[in-house]
Short mmCIF file of all heavy atoms in Angstrom, two decimals:
data_model
loop_
_atom_site.label_atom_id
_atom_site.label_comp_id
_atom_site.label_asym_id
_atom_site.label_seq_id
_atom_site.Cartn_x
_atom_site.Cartn_y
_atom_site.Cartn_z
N HIS A 30 108.24 80.48 106.78
CA HIS A 30 108.89 80.50 105.44
C HIS A 30 109.44 81.88 105.13
O HIS A 30 110.59 81.99 104.65
CB HIS A 30 107.85 80.08 104.39
CG HIS A 30 108.42 80.02 103.00
ND1 HIS A 30 109.33 79.07 102.63
CD2 HIS A 30 108.20 80.79 101.91
CE1 HIS A 30 109.65 79.27 101.36
NE2 HIS A 30 108.97 80.30 100.91
N GLU A 31 108.67 82.93 105.44
CA GLU A 31 109.15 84.31 105.22
C GLU A 31 110.42 84.57 106.07
O GLU A 31 111.39 85.20 105.55
CB GLU A 31 108.09 85.32 105.57
CG GLU A 31 106.91 85.31 104.64
CD GLU A 31 105.72 86.13 105.21
OE1 GLU A 31 105.76 86.59 106.34
OE2 GLU A 31 104.77 86.31 104.42
N LEU A 32 110.38 84.19 107.30
CA LEU A 32 111.52 84.42 108.19
C LEU A 32 112.77 83.65 107.72
O LEU A 32 113.90 84.18 107.78
CB LEU A 32 111.16 84.04 109.64
CG LEU A 32 110.21 84.97 110.34
CD1 LEU A 32 109.76 84.35 111.65
CD2 LEU A 32 110.78 86.33 110.53
N ARG A 33 112.61 82.46 107.22
CA ARG A 33 113.73 81.70 106.69
C ARG A 33 114.31 82.41 105.51
O ARG A 33 115.55 82.47 105.30
CB ARG A 33 113.30 80.24 106.32
CG ARG A 33 113.12 79.40 107.54
CD ARG A 33 112.75 77.97 107.22
NE ARG A 33 112.68 77.19 108.42
CZ ARG A 33 111.99 76.05 108.50
NH1 ARG A 33 111.30 75.60 107.49
NH2 ARG A 33 111.94 75.40 109.64
N ARG A 34 113.47 82.93 104.61
CA ARG A 34 113.97 83.72 103.47
C ARG A 34 114.76 84.94 103.91
O ARG A 34 115.76 85.25 103.36
CB ARG A 34 112.80 84.08 102.53
CG ARG A 34 112.48 83.01 101.52
CD ARG A 34 111.52 83.51 100.47
NE ARG A 34 110.18 83.55 101.08
CZ ARG A 34 109.21 84.46 100.86
NH1 ARG A 34 109.44 85.41 100.02
NH2 ARG A 34 108.08 84.40 101.46
N GLU A 35 114.20 85.62 104.92
CA GLU A 35 114.89 86.77 105.44
C GLU A 35 116.23 86.42 106.03
O GLU A 35 117.21 87.14 105.89
CB GLU A 35 114.01 87.50 106.47
CG GLU A 35 112.82 88.19 105.86
CD GLU A 35 111.95 88.87 106.91
OE1 GLU A 35 112.47 89.25 107.97
OE2 GLU A 35 110.77 89.03 106.63
N LEU A 36 116.32 85.26 106.69
CA LEU A 36 117.60 84.84 107.29
C LEU A 36 118.58 84.53 106.14
O LEU A 36 119.81 84.81 106.29
CB LEU A 36 117.42 83.62 108.17
CG LEU A 36 116.80 83.88 109.53
CD1 LEU A 36 116.51 82.57 110.23
CD2 LEU A 36 117.72 84.72 110.37
N VAL A 37 118.16 83.93 105.04
CA VAL A 37 119.05 83.65 103.93
C VAL A 37 119.54 84.97 103.38
O VAL A 37 120.74 85.13 103.09
CB VAL A 37 118.33 82.81 102.86
CG1 VAL A 37 119.10 82.77 101.55
CG2 VAL A 37 118.06 81.41 103.37
N ASP A 38 118.63 85.94 103.17
CA ASP A 38 119.05 87.25 102.68
C ASP A 38 120.08 87.89 103.60
O ASP A 38 121.07 88.47 103.16
CB ASP A 38 117.87 88.17 102.52
CG ASP A 38 116.88 87.73 101.41
OD1 ASP A 38 117.34 86.89 100.57
OD2 ASP A 38 115.76 88.20 101.39
N LEU A 39 119.82 87.85 104.91
CA LEU A 39 120.70 88.43 105.87
C LEU A 39 122.08 87.76 105.82
O LEU A 39 123.11 88.41 105.86
CB LEU A 39 120.14 88.33 107.32
CG LEU A 39 121.00 88.88 108.44
CD1 LEU A 39 121.26 90.37 108.26
CD2 LEU A 39 120.28 88.61 109.79
N ASP A 40 122.05 86.45 105.72
CA ASP A 40 123.34 85.67 105.62
C ASP A 40 124.12 86.10 104.41
O ASP A 40 125.36 86.31 104.47
CB ASP A 40 123.05 84.18 105.61
CG ASP A 40 124.30 83.37 105.67
OD1 ASP A 40 125.12 83.60 106.58
OD2 ASP A 40 124.50 82.49 104.83
N GLU A 41 123.41 86.28 103.29
CA GLU A 41 124.11 86.72 102.06
C GLU A 41 124.70 88.11 102.19
O GLU A 41 125.82 88.37 101.76
CB GLU A 41 123.16 86.65 100.88
CG GLU A 41 122.79 85.24 100.47
CD GLU A 41 121.67 85.14 99.44
OE1 GLU A 41 121.11 86.23 99.08
OE2 GLU A 41 121.38 84.04 98.98
N ARG A 42 123.95 89.03 102.81
CA ARG A 42 124.46 90.37 103.02
C ARG A 42 125.70 90.35 103.96
O ARG A 42 126.66 91.05 103.75
CB ARG A 42 123.37 91.30 103.57
CG ARG A 42 122.31 91.62 102.57
CD ARG A 42 121.41 92.77 102.97
NE ARG A 42 121.02 92.79 104.39
CZ ARG A 42 119.81 92.37 104.82
NH1 ARG A 42 118.93 91.89 104.01
NH2 ARG A 42 119.52 92.45 106.10
N MET A 43 125.59 89.54 105.04
CA MET A 43 126.73 89.46 105.96
C MET A 43 127.95 88.94 105.27
O MET A 43 129.08 89.39 105.48
CB MET A 43 126.35 88.57 107.16
CG MET A 43 125.36 89.24 108.10
SD MET A 43 124.72 88.17 109.41
CE MET A 43 126.19 87.44 110.07
N ALA A 44 127.77 87.92 104.40
CA ALA A 44 128.89 87.35 103.67
C ALA A 44 129.52 88.39 102.75
O ALA A 44 130.73 88.52 102.64
CB ALA A 44 128.46 86.10 102.89
N ALA A 45 128.66 89.15 102.05
CA ALA A 45 129.16 90.19 101.16
C ALA A 45 129.96 91.25 101.91
O ALA A 45 131.01 91.71 101.46
CB ALA A 45 128.02 90.84 100.38
N ILE A 46 129.42 91.66 103.04
CA ILE A 46 130.12 92.69 103.87
C ILE A 46 131.43 92.14 104.39
O ILE A 46 132.44 92.83 104.37
CB ILE A 46 129.21 93.16 105.02
CG1 ILE A 46 128.03 93.98 104.42
CG2 ILE A 46 129.99 93.97 106.04
CD1 ILE A 46 126.95 94.28 105.42
N SER A 47 131.40 90.88 104.81
CA SER A 47 132.62 90.27 105.33
C SER A 47 133.69 90.20 104.24
O SER A 47 134.87 90.50 104.50
CB SER A 47 132.29 88.86 105.84
OG SER A 47 133.47 88.23 106.31
N GLN A 48 133.28 89.83 103.04
CA GLN A 48 134.24 89.76 101.93
C GLN A 48 134.78 91.14 101.62
O GLN A 48 136.01 91.31 101.36
CB GLN A 48 133.58 89.17 100.68
CG GLN A 48 133.34 87.69 100.81
CD GLN A 48 132.58 87.17 99.60
OE1 GLN A 48 132.19 87.91 98.70
NE2 GLN A 48 132.35 85.86 99.58
N ALA A 49 133.92 92.12 101.66
CA ALA A 49 134.36 93.50 101.40
C ALA A 49 135.36 93.97 102.42
O ALA A 49 136.34 94.62 102.10
CB ALA A 49 133.17 94.44 101.32
N LEU A 50 135.10 93.64 103.66
CA LEU A 50 136.00 94.06 104.73
C LEU A 50 137.35 93.37 104.63
O LEU A 50 138.39 93.91 104.95
CB LEU A 50 135.39 93.78 106.09
CG LEU A 50 134.22 94.68 106.48
CD1 LEU A 50 133.57 94.23 107.78
CD2 LEU A 50 134.66 96.14 106.63
N ARG A 51 137.37 92.11 104.17
CA ARG A 51 138.64 91.38 104.01
C ARG A 51 139.49 91.95 102.89
O ARG A 51 140.71 91.79 102.91
CB ARG A 51 138.32 89.89 103.72
CG ARG A 51 137.96 89.14 104.95
CD ARG A 51 137.98 87.63 104.65
NE ARG A 51 136.99 86.98 105.51
CZ ARG A 51 135.86 86.41 105.11
NH1 ARG A 51 135.63 86.31 103.81
NH2 ARG A 51 135.01 85.91 105.96
N ARG A 52 138.86 92.66 101.93
CA ARG A 52 139.63 93.23 100.82
C ARG A 52 140.48 94.42 101.27
O ARG A 52 141.42 94.79 100.57
CB ARG A 52 138.70 93.68 99.71
CG ARG A 52 138.05 92.52 98.99
CD ARG A 52 137.22 93.08 97.82
NE ARG A 52 136.25 92.02 97.47
CZ ARG A 52 135.00 92.25 97.20
NH1 ARG A 52 134.49 93.47 97.19
NH2 ARG A 52 134.18 91.29 96.88
N PHE A 53 140.15 95.02 102.39
CA PHE A 53 140.84 96.25 102.77
C PHE A 53 141.51 96.17 104.16
O PHE A 53 141.42 97.11 104.95
CB PHE A 53 139.81 97.40 102.79
CG PHE A 53 139.12 97.58 101.48
CD1 PHE A 53 137.81 97.21 101.32
CD2 PHE A 53 139.84 98.11 100.40
CE1 PHE A 53 137.15 97.35 100.10
CE2 PHE A 53 139.17 98.28 99.17
CZ PHE A 53 137.84 97.90 99.01
N PRO A 54 142.15 95.09 104.46
CA PRO A 54 142.77 95.00 105.82
C PRO A 54 143.91 95.97 106.01
O PRO A 54 144.09 96.53 107.03
CB PRO A 54 143.25 93.55 105.90
CG PRO A 54 143.46 93.13 104.52
CD PRO A 54 142.43 93.87 103.70
N SER A 55 144.68 96.22 104.94
CA SER A 55 145.84 97.12 105.09
C SER A 55 145.39 98.55 105.33
O SER A 55 146.01 99.26 106.13
CB SER A 55 146.78 97.01 103.89
OG SER A 55 146.03 97.43 102.70
N SER A 56 144.32 99.00 104.68
CA SER A 56 143.87 100.39 104.93
C SER A 56 143.34 100.56 106.31
O SER A 56 143.51 101.61 106.93
CB SER A 56 142.82 100.78 103.90
OG SER A 56 141.67 100.01 104.02
N THR A 57 142.69 99.57 106.86
CA THR A 57 142.19 99.63 108.20
C THR A 57 143.34 99.66 109.19
O THR A 57 143.34 100.49 110.13
CB THR A 57 141.27 98.43 108.54
OG1 THR A 57 140.23 98.37 107.55
CG2 THR A 57 140.71 98.50 109.93
#
Side-chain angles (χ1 to χ4, degrees):
H30 183 69
E31 291 169 353
L32 290 171
R33 285 182 177 157
R34 274 190 283 145
E35 289 180 25
L36 285 172
V37 168
D38 292 344
L39 178 61
D40 186 52
E41 290 171 355
R42 289 195 318 261
M43 288 172 51
I46 291 169
S47 179
Q48 288 175 358
L50 289 173
R51 282 192 211 115
R52 289 184 201 138
F53 304 107
S55 60
S56 64
T57 304

